[in-house]
Amino acid sequence: MSEFPSPQVLFDLRLVWYFTVVAEYRHFRRAAEALHTTQPSLSRQIRRLEQQLGTRLFERTPHGNHLTQAGEVFLPLATALLHRADQAAAHTRAAARPDRITVGYTPGFIITAAVRALRRQHPGAEVATRHLAVPDRPRALLDHRVDALVTRLPFATDGLEVTPLYDEPRVLLVPLEHRLAGRESVTLDDIADEPLPKVRGCDPMVSAFWRIDPRPDGRPAPDGPLAETTEDLIELAATGQAVFITVAAGPVRPDLTAIPLEGVEPSRVVLATRARDRNPLVAAFRAHARAHLTGRDPTGPPRSLQRRTDG
């Protein structure tokens, strides 16, 4: 008897992938078009998977294809299985290439100094950089699209190692004619009734931090208009429809002013990496980030003049 017993079911991951696509479209023809295959071929692949599992996954009707109860149970497990397979491949490739690193960064950050220092220290290494959208941060690390990431808290840190780099005070962005414009500083009491915009699809943790919602006394932050982008937030502040909490950066346009916001924790800039990552280049970049990414870019203007608007 083998000391490595075979699993009861051996999945072809392509069949699992086909299943998730059909489950998304709820229609074999549209799923086949998305997969660049034919409907009869896709139907055969799904029947093969159903035979392996010993149960039907779809109810086929003239109005579409619906998941059976078994299909509903299998869908999240299939999605997780595909994700774990991607992770396994990425971990294996990373172990085989200890001379390679991809450094990620989110909007507003300049990482040039630390990247240059790493390349000088390891001239034979392949050092790449990658710009990421804010919502993509933890997943990009866990999926091995980047190996290190310069960004701001808050975000989910499960499975990650977070190294603080520096803090940035938060400020209130208002138009020049606003009642608070010209003040040396403001407090949460000063803006207790000022509406704060929400960004569509924003992570609730991130939204709560930048809106300071709820307030220390438990009251919710007043809701302002819904925004889609950072540019929308700036325009809402400029037209007086809402105030906008961001980081100390100086005005991003001449009709706006930034007022220091007292009594709130600052925004923390960090370097995030995967926990227990053994790539020596990750440890080396961490050291260079601590040395060079301290809140001022030596190749450009002071950070107080750079546009910084994550909130």
Side-chain angles (χ1 to χ4, degrees), residues 225-310:
L226 192 64
E228 299 280 351
T229 66
T230 297
E231 286 70 23
D232 291 337
L233 295 173
I234 295 172
E235 184 64 23
L236 289 171
T239 56
Q241 298 178 71
V243 296
F244 174 28
I245 297 173
T246 181
V247 292
V252 295
R253 44 191 270 182
D255 55 349
L256 292 171
T257 185
I259 310 168
L261 185 57
E262 292 186 346
V264 299
E265 64 176 309
S267 166
R268 175 153 292 183
V269 177
V270 300
L271 173 69
T273 59
R274 288 181 295 277
R276 297 177 295 279
D277 192 324
R278 296 184 177 87
N279 186 339
L281 292 177
V282 170
F285 184 76
R286 184 180 295 112
H288 290 305
R290 284 171 168 159
H292 296 283
L293 305 184
T294 58
R296 179 181 292 272
D297 173 36
T299 66
R303 187 168 299 274
S304 62
L305 299 181
Q306 296 172 11
R307 176 176 172 175
R308 305 299 301 278
T309 52
D310 270 8

Side-chain angles (χ1 to χ4, degrees), residues 14-147:
R14 288 178 300 174
L15 302 184
V16 179
W17 176 42
Y18 294 160
F19 161 75
T20 62
V21 176
V22 177
E24 177 182 353
Y25 283 92
R26 296 294 202 272
H27 197 285
F28 272 80
R29 180 179 57 79
R30 290 197 292 268
E33 291 173 353
L35 291 166
H36 303 289
T37 187
T38 64
Q39 182 175 338
S41 175
L42 180 57
S43 295
R44 287 195 298 271
Q45 304 306 321
I46 295 300
R47 281 197 296 271
R48 282 183 56 199
L49 181 61
E50 290 175 330
Q51 289 169 358
Q52 290 180 0
L53 291 171
T55 186
R56 294 181 64 183
L57 299 172
F58 292 100
E59 291 288 350
R60 296 159 177 82
T61 73
H63 304 291
N65 302 276
H66 307 283
L67 289 169
T68 63
Q69 184 175 355
E72 294 282 1
V73 170
F74 185 57
L75 180 57
L77 300 174
T79 303
L81 177 63
L82 293 172
H83 177 66
R84 293 295 294 172
D86 284 341
Q87 282 193 318
H91 277 278
T92 303
R93 286 193 295 267
R97 293 294 307 273
D99 58 343
R100 180 177 183 178
I101 184 174
T102 298
V103 180
Y105 61 103
T106 49
F109 289 104
I110 299 173
I111 60 173
T112 309
V115 171
R116 282 177 176 168
L118 181 65
R119 287 173 175 157
R120 284 195 298 267
Q121 183 184 17
H122 298 274
E126 182 179 337
V127 181
T129 59
R130 185 167 185 171
H131 184 266
L132 296 172
V134 170
D136 208 22
R137 294 177 295 181
R139 185 56 54 201
L141 277 164
L142 296 174
D143 288 349
H144 287 252
R145 281 176 282 153
V146 299
D147 304 295

